Amino acid sequence: MSKPKVFVTRKWPASVEAKLKALYDVTLNEDDRPLSADEFKSALQNYDAVCPTVCDSFPADVINVDNKRCKILGNFGVGYNHIDINAAKAQGLVVSNTPGVLTHSTADIAMTLLLMSARRGAEGDRLVRAKQWQGWCPTHMLSSDVTGATLGLIGFGRIAQAMARKAHHGFGMKIVYFKPSPADEYVTDDLNATRCESIEELLQVADYVSLHCPGGEATRHLINADMLNLMKPSAHLINTARGDVIDSAALIDALKNKRIAGAGLDVYEGEPNVHEGFLTLDNVSLLPHLGSATLGTRTAMGEKVLANLAAFFAGDHLPDRVA
């Protein structure tokens, strides 16, 4: 019996690619280059399964391609707002994701960005590399305290809670959060966390605001000029969620005019393109979407995709089905 044909859109950790080769008739992206919409359409027409990543766009016009052979999109990533889920459902196309295995690595990056922004880490690194540092001085590059400050989390799922534990138990930070319904009592008791009634309330009390909400139309530009104006002038904004949650132009304006103290970003609108305005600012720390970028995490994500593919082709219940 022939093996199912599987198409993988980007390069994965070697151990996972080896398992794919053993289990399936697989086509890998050996050059690891971004693929076009036409290439995605061709993959949907010629393979039983296609495995995209969060950087691959699968809108309705791609999913609705004629003569489709593909029956499952095994997404390499937790977020799936790059896939038109409604179109997938209408076409009977199964979609799975990889939750639960990138919690701590992404929370680590959120804390990294918080510390970089608070202590002007990226700015200091550039200063030293440019050979412009003139030595220690009592008033040089004064920055913001982290220990004991208030961290506000917009969204309070796995990653936000992991960041809150690192911040509270590691740095003695006070935790406030916003989500539509209260978090479990055992979580809030452990963190001594307080729920804000609105995002607006949270923005006014937090010294550091970290975004952990899903992407998509419902949250697009959730953080806009009006919201930024509610933040303390001394506050910092951290985003490891999705780039389109922030209005980039509004954030650049707020940073440029010192309406907030700083920002740390791992995700961007329209990435890998980054708004030119960010590149001229000293008070923003920029990372290239490193949230889950540890070998262990990316391998675990690949293993999740393998488990979902195995269940699908065996006719079993998928552990991580989202459509």
Side-chain angles (χ1 to χ4, degrees), residues 240-253:
T240 56
R242 286 291 178 265
D244 59 5
V245 174
I246 296 176
D247 180 337
S248 296
L251 177 57
I252 289 164
D253 184 68

Side-chain angles (χ1 to χ4, degrees), residues 79-268:
Y80 47 87
N81 60 301
H82 56 291
I83 299 169
D84 190 318
I85 293 296
N86 290 330
K89 289 179 178 178
Q91 290 282 318
L93 186 61
V94 172
V95 181
S96 64
N97 69 341
T98 63
V101 294
L102 47 73
T103 299
H104 289 290
S105 57
T106 306
D108 287 349
I109 284 290
M111 279 304 302
T112 298
L113 283 167
L114 188 154
L115 292 165
M116 287 174 67
S117 189
R119 300 305 305 272
R120 302 171 67 176
E123 183 183 354
D125 179 80
R126 289 192 295 271
L127 187 76
V128 173
R129 290 177 186 276
K131 299 183 178 180
Q132 294 178 352
W133 180 43
Q134 297 179 358
W136 188 90
C137 169
T139 57
H140 182 231
M141 288 190 67
L142 297 180
S143 58
S144 304
D145 286 315
V146 172
T147 299
T150 298
L151 171 62
L153 300 136
I154 298 178
F156 205 55
R158 292 187 187 97
I159 296 170
Q161 290 177 24
M163 183 187 186
R165 283 190 289 274
K166 298 171 196 293
H168 179 67
H169 295 299
F171 293 88
M173 298 186 80
K174 302 179 183 72
I175 305 299
V176 297
Y177 72 95
F178 172 78
K179 66 186 292 279
S181 57
D184 291 337
E185 191 172 329
Y186 77 90
V187 174
T188 56
D189 285 351
D190 175 56
L191 300 170
N192 195 23
T194 301
R195 178 177 175 266
C196 294
E197 293 296 325
S198 66
I199 294 173
E200 289 84 353
E201 178 189 344
L202 181 145
L203 293 174
Q204 292 176 74
V205 301
D207 299 305
Y208 300 91
V209 176
S210 189
L211 303 177
H212 299 278
C213 44
E217 199 55 42
T219 57
R220 184 176 184 276
H221 289 185
L222 176 70
I223 303 301
N224 53 31
D226 290 339
M227 291 294 195
L228 290 164
N229 285 337
L230 294 175
M231 293 176 65
K232 298 178 182 180
S234 58
H236 296 252
L237 179 66
I238 309 302
N239 190 15
T240 56
R242 286 291 178 265
D244 59 5
V245 174
I246 296 176
D247 180 337
S248 296
L251 177 57
I252 289 164
D253 184 68
L255 292 167
K256 184 176 181 180
N257 292 289
K258 304 296 193 292
R259 284 196 291 276
I260 66 171
L265 307 176
D266 191 41
V267 290
Y268 309 88

Side-chain angles (χ1 to χ4, degrees), residues 60 62-68 70-71 84-94:
V62 170
I63 289 173
N64 293 337
V65 65
D66 292 334
N67 303 314
K68 190 165 39 272
C70 181
K71 299 299 182 186
D84 190 318
I85 293 296
N86 290 330
K89 289 179 178 178
Q91 290 282 318
L93 186 61
V94 172

Side-chain angles (χ1 to χ4, degrees), residues 262-301:
L265 307 176
D266 191 41
V267 290
Y268 309 88
E269 289 188 281
E271 62 181 69
N273 300 311
V274 177
H275 196 301
E276 288 288 329
F278 287 125
L279 306 182
T280 63
L281 297 172
D282 281 331
N283 57 344
V284 62
S285 298
L286 307 172
L287 295 180
H289 205 148
L290 297 181
S292 62
T294 71
L295 179 58
T297 296
R298 293 281 170 86
T299 299
M301 291 167 68

